[in-house]
Amino acid sequence: MIKSTTLKRLLAGAAVAAAVVVAGPALAKDKLRICASTKEAPYSAADGSGFENRIAARLAVAMDREPEFVYTDKFAIYIVGEFLDAKKCDVVMGADVGDERMLTTAPIYRTGYVYVSREDKNFTGASWNSIADTDYGRFAIRFYTPAEVMLKYAGKWEDNAAYLYGLINFKSRRNQYNQVAADQLVSEVANGGADLAIAFAPDVARYVKSSPVPLRMTMIEDEIVRSDGKTIPLQYDQAIGVRKDDRALLDEISAALPKIRGDIDAILTEEGIPLLPPSS
Amino acid sequence: MRGYVTAYDVKTGEQAWRAYATGPDEQILLADDFNIHNPHYGQKGLGTGTWEGDAWKIGGGTNWGWYAYDPGTNLFYYGSGNPAPWNETMRPGDNKWTMTIWGRDIDTGEAKFGYQKTPHDEWDYAGVNVMMLSEQKDKDGNVRKLLTHPDRNGIVYTLDRENGDLISADKLDDTVNWVKEVQLDTGLPVRDPEFATRMDHKGRDICPSAMGYHNQGHDSYDPERQLFFMGINHICMDWEPFMLPYRAGQFFVGATLWMYPGPKGDRQAYEGLGQVKAYNAITGDYKWEVMERFSAWGGTMATAGGLVFYGTLDGFIKARDADTGELLWKHKMPSGAIGHPMTYEHNGIQYVAIYYGVGGWPGVGLVFDLTDPTAGLGAVGAFKELANYTQMGGGIMVYSLDGKSPYTEDVNVGEWKPNNG
């Protein structure tokens, strides 16, 4: 199910500016068809309040295009295969730099996995291994993330599993993708249900910032070293992706990005995301 | 997440004992002489030793099916279910004692024997099905107390219920393909890797499907004929693994299941999803078998009068000749049946009763109005024709063998009469 919405509200400022420049009948602008999920808050939401929705709207204006959000009610994990590659939309706002399924821009920001704890716990761990030394037993994480590996390596997975599956009502993941809501990661810590949340910082930054209970976000500074010697990075450059054969659109986006550098920084700062210097 | 069975005192509610399916022996409650007659089934230390790390703590093995009790052996019998998580690559090992037929002392809970049918399950063949008790002569002419269990995995097992000896293990249908045979001397299934569910392999036409060739149906035994009458699912599946990458080191490993009629059904029309069979557990022979449009989900009831009753998902209750399988009688009910018939006598008249009301796993599409064929782990696709044959509803139907209702003789029975006029 796809819903196509032009978010005029977000563009109110731009529309006024355009009316000034273009005298007489308005020219139909090219559209920027943005792949978006209705259920990926805080990244993307049906009302356009996701921070990636907001960056996308700015980007379209900078490209002199009209943003068209092509919404799906599926989770974003399905977007590249079922929507971008199927040419139902043309731009994915959240992608790792170098994601092999797409062409990606230079990084627009870099951040990493964080611990979220209550200030009054005074947790200072900054390594993926820090939880092994604690007596913590309840962890709120999202499934299929490096946080799963961290819990397993620390010997904290099994005793935490019933709690964690409870957050998704014990739904099976065969034939369906289920995920813990990002805001719940934070509320579980705030209300004492979890000792810690472990999450990619953009998942939780907004909710940490607005939490009525004082919370702390601590960046994890190292990489997970697996038993087979391979590493799992915990810090990632985030970029914008297009289809592999859509070089022209990538170039157009790349040319527009410097114009909205200030807007992007403002949106990320407002979100509360701890930023790192991009690596590439 | 970790299956167990618990005994409570019916008068005080006090817990008498609890026995887990996985974990340390003292928590599984193994008797000192556990599996002494069949040490090749495995004995001590395997509830943790057949798991990686602490995975046994969330290893599944829940027992949500039927229990049988024999006052003679003072043992009760039941099956533990499938291991968790479903993705087999995440739990290397046999995963004992999931998928196990248990014989436990009813007073202490201690297990006298345990036979694991499907070591390291990959298909969701939760081993909780009905346990049917009989006394029969084995092939050598010795009378033995037996336990017969048609499993989800498509094998019908018969054990000596005093010591756990494996007497027979036959395919419920010759289309079962994940296993070539079950070796009676080792108790082990000989697998066919083509029909495994690995993450690097799309499995096609795996029989049975995750629903099993036999699910929660409660079947029956005719001691005079030495026949078990079993309602069977004739459903197979495709199993396609996938790995979806996402940002920041995240990826989702899943599998998509499609279910459809087995090779003897009609794969164009999506009918022929069930069978009813008469089985001799000593010879391994099927005396008769018939196909059904949908699964014979609820199980059967045999009577001393030589009849076999069962309900169908499309809403019939049927009676067949126990010797030949010939269809003798049927009646259409308001909704499909997933329960089994029962019989009783009242004031000299014999009655047959059955709950009707389509539902359960086969009814998930009809009841919840789902159309995605992979929903309900593929059950929606397999049973997509069911909505054309029945509808939702629920109740109990009672039939008298003399064909009379309470009002046949006197239509005024039960009428309200005004007493003030």
Side-chain angles (χ1 to χ4, degrees):
Chain A
M1 193 192 315
I2 298 177
K3 285 181 290 189
S4 182
T5 314
T6 303
L7 290 175
K8 294 208 171 77
R9 182 172 61 80
L10 287 172
L11 285 176
V16 171
V20 173
V21 175
V22 183
L27 296 172
K29 287 185 179 179
D30 285 344
K31 288 181 174 173
L32 182 65
R33 298 193 307 163
I34 301 145
C35 312
S37 165
T38 59
K39 29 169 92 149
E40 287 290 352
Y43 301 90
S44 177
D47 64 358
S49 63
F51 75 88
E52 287 181 348
N53 302 143
R54 298 171 63 203
I55 294 173
R58 298 291 202 291
L59 175 66
V61 172
M63 295 167 71
D64 199 25
R65 291 187 185 224
E66 184 184 347
E68 180 184 30
F69 286 87
V70 179
Y71 272 109
T72 171
D73 288 334
K74 292 188 131 183
F75 287 97
I77 198 163
Y78 294 105
I79 274 183
V80 173
E82 296 186 19
F83 298 95
L84 181 74
D85 286 345
K87 300 196 173 179
K88 293 171 178 168
C89 53
D90 303 313
V91 184
V92 172
M93 292 306 294
D96 288 348
V97 167
D99 186 320
E100 291 179 353
R101 301 168 300 161
M102 293 176 274
L103 297 177
T104 53
T105 64
I108 60 173
Y109 69 99
R110 179 179 179 81
T111 187
Y113 280 81
V114 293
Y115 293 116
V116 179
S117 59
R118 289 169 65 119
E119 277 285 2
D120 57 19
K121 284 218 178 192
N122 200 27
F123 176 75
T124 56
S127 163
W128 69 272
N129 219 3
S130 299
I131 53 173
D133 306 326
T134 68
D135 58 1
Y136 294 166
R138 289 290 167 268
F139 302 86
I141 68 164
R142 304 192 93 173
F143 292 101
Y144 330 120
T145 67
E148 272 195 10
V149 182
M150 292 169 59
L151 292 187
K152 285 170 183 169
Y153 273 61
K156 305 276 192 184
W157 173 260
E158 286 81 8
D159 286 327
N160 192 55
Y163 162 75
L164 198 56
Y165 283 102
L167 298 181
I168 56 165
N169 289 324
F170 297 97
K171 285 179 183 160
S172 166
R173 61 166 135 174
R174 277 176 304 190
N175 285 13
Q176 63 181 339
Y177 174 88
N178 291 301
Q179 193 53 281
V180 181
D183 59 346
Q184 196 177 7
L185 298 175
V186 177
S187 62
E188 284 293 307
V189 175
N191 68 27
D195 298 308
L196 278 183
I198 311 169
F200 194 44
D203 284 344
V204 292
R206 173 186 298 192
Y207 311 113
V208 169
K209 196 177 169 185
S210 64
S211 171
V213 178
L215 301 177
R216 177 183 296 184
M217 257 194 307
T218 318
M219 184 74 72
I220 302 171
E221 289 167 358
D222 51 2
E223 296 181 323
I224 300 174
V225 181
R226 298 199 318 198
S227 53
D228 61 4
K230 290 182 182 159
T231 57
I232 301 174
L234 293 174
Q235 300 181 350
Y236 292 86
D237 290 322
Q238 293 296 287
I240 296 168
V242 300
R243 271 184 302 280
K244 287 195 122 170
D245 61 358
D246 211 351
R247 172 68 63 181
L249 183 59
L250 185 78
D251 291 345
E252 194 186 334
I253 292 169
S254 297
L257 278 174
K259 301 180 199 169
I260 58 167
R261 186 66 253 172
D263 291 337
I264 293 173
D265 289 342
I267 288 168
L268 296 175
T269 302
E270 185 186 333
E271 193 75 13
I273 298 171
L275 299 173
L276 300 164
S279 68
S280 48
Chain B
M1 307 298 281
R2 185 181 171 214
Y4 57 81
V5 58
T6 310
Y8 296 99
D9 186 308
V10 291
K11 294 192 178 74
T12 66
E14 188 183 2
Q15 181 177 316
W17 49 262
R18 170 166 291 175
Y20 287 90
T22 68
D25 291 346
E26 59 272 21
Q27 293 182 19
I28 307 178
L29 290 188
L30 299 183
D32 288 340
D33 60 352
F34 174 68
N35 275 346
I36 189 107
H37 294 279
N38 294 283
H40 55 284
Y41 291 175
Q43 293 179 286
K44 300 296 173 66
L46 300 173
T48 53
T50 60
W51 296 86
E52 190 173 67
D54 285 343
W56 57 266
K57 289 183 177 176
I58 51 172
T62 57
N63 34 277
W64 52 273
W66 301 103
Y67 301 74
Y69 171 57
D70 176 3
T73 61
N74 203 41
L75 300 179
F76 75 103
Y77 308 94
Y78 71 100
S80 50
N82 53 301
W86 66 271
N87 181 354
E88 56 88 21
T89 59
M90 296 170 72
R91 45 173 172 78
D94 277 357
N95 310 139
K96 283 184 166 57
W97 291 91
T98 64
M99 309 300 243
T100 296
I101 295 175
W102 292 99
R104 289 187 184 276
D105 185 288
I106 202 143
D107 295 315
T108 65
E110 285 190 338
K112 191 167 180 188
F113 67 82
Y115 167 61
Q116 188 182 41
K117 297 159 286 181
T118 314
H120 189 72
D121 168 63
E122 306 172 26
W123 304 268
D124 199 8
Y125 293 151
V128 302
N129 290 355
V130 65
M131 303 284 171
M132 295 182 280
L133 309 187
S134 68
E135 285 188 29
Q136 301 188 54
K137 280 184 184 168
D138 66 14
K139 281 180 174 160
D140 300 325
N142 303 313
V143 175
R144 299 177 81 164
K145 297 185 114 190
L146 302 179
L147 157 69
T148 296
H149 167 85
D151 196 77
R152 279 261 284 266
N153 71 10
I155 302 290
V156 50
Y157 299 87
T158 295
L159 275 60
D160 181 319
R161 71 173 182 270
E162 293 184 304
N163 58 26
D165 289 352
L166 186 58
I167 306 289
S168 63
D170 297 308
K171 291 188 177 185
L172 282 170
D173 193 70
D174 54 11
T175 54
V176 170
N177 61 17
W178 74 273
V179 58
K180 293 172 179 168
E181 62 163 338
V182 175
Q183 297 172 327
L184 292 182
D185 53 346
T186 66
L188 293 174
V190 180
R191 296 167 185 244
D192 185 337
E194 181 60 26
F195 304 103
T197 67
R198 306 187 307 273
M199 290 313 292
D200 59 350
H201 173 73
K202 175 165 181 178
R204 291 183 188 276
D205 222 347
I206 300 168
C207 305
S209 77
M211 283 188 166
Y213 266 8
H214 190 288
N215 200 286
Q216 67 196 49
H218 194 282
D219 286 325
S220 55
Y221 174 65
D222 182 332
E224 192 176 314
R225 291 170 176 79
Q226 275 193 292
L227 290 175
F228 290 94
F229 302 101
M230 300 184 292
I232 291 170
N233 302 328
H234 190 60
I235 305 173
C236 301
M237 69 174 174
D238 291 351
W239 189 94
E240 183 173 34
F242 61 82
M243 201 277 276
L244 274 180
Y246 190 44
R247 68 168 96 190
Q250 305 175 39
F251 60 92
F252 171 47
V253 177
T256 305
L257 282 68
W258 290 265
M259 296 184 185
Y260 42 80
K264 296 174 182 174
D266 181 340
R267 291 185 168 179
Q268 303 304 313
Y270 271 71
E271 295 180 354
L273 293 152
Q275 298 175 308
V276 178
K277 296 192 176 195
Y279 168 72
N280 183 312
I282 305 301
T283 65
D285 295 331
Y286 288 93
K287 186 161 189 201
W288 55 262
E289 59 184 78
V290 295
M291 291 293 295
E292 279 287 343
R293 178 172 279 119
F294 299 108
S295 305
W297 192 265
T300 67
M301 177 193 66
T303 70
L307 298 176
V308 179
F309 289 86
Y310 59 95
T312 68
L313 283 166
D314 49 346
F316 286 100
I317 178 170
K318 299 183 180 181
R320 291 186 183 272
D321 185 314
D323 288 315
T324 65
E326 183 189 353
L327 185 62
L328 301 176
W329 172 82
K330 68 180 173 184
H331 183 259
K332 178 87 173 175
M333 301 185 290
S335 177
I338 57 170
H340 58 273
M342 56 86 76
T343 187
Y344 63 97
E345 186 185 303
H346 180 65
N347 288 343
I349 306 291
Q350 188 178 359
Y351 297 89
V352 171
I354 185 170
Y355 280 117
Y356 64 84
V358 71
W361 199 347
V364 66
L366 187 156
V367 171
F368 296 107
D369 205 17
L370 304 176
T371 53
D372 176 353
T374 66
L377 288 189
V380 171
F383 288 96
K384 64 183 182 183
E385 290 301 315
L386 188 55
N388 295 329
Y389 287 91
T390 190
Q391 60 197 358
M392 279 199 285
I396 185 167
M397 297 288 275
V398 180
Y399 304 86
S400 64
L401 259 61
D402 66 0
K404 291 178 183 173
S405 85
Y407 325 113
T408 303
E409 306 273 328
D410 179 0
V411 74
N412 287 313
V413 167
E415 285 299 294
W416 184 75
K417 291 191 178 66
N419 58 10
N420 57 354

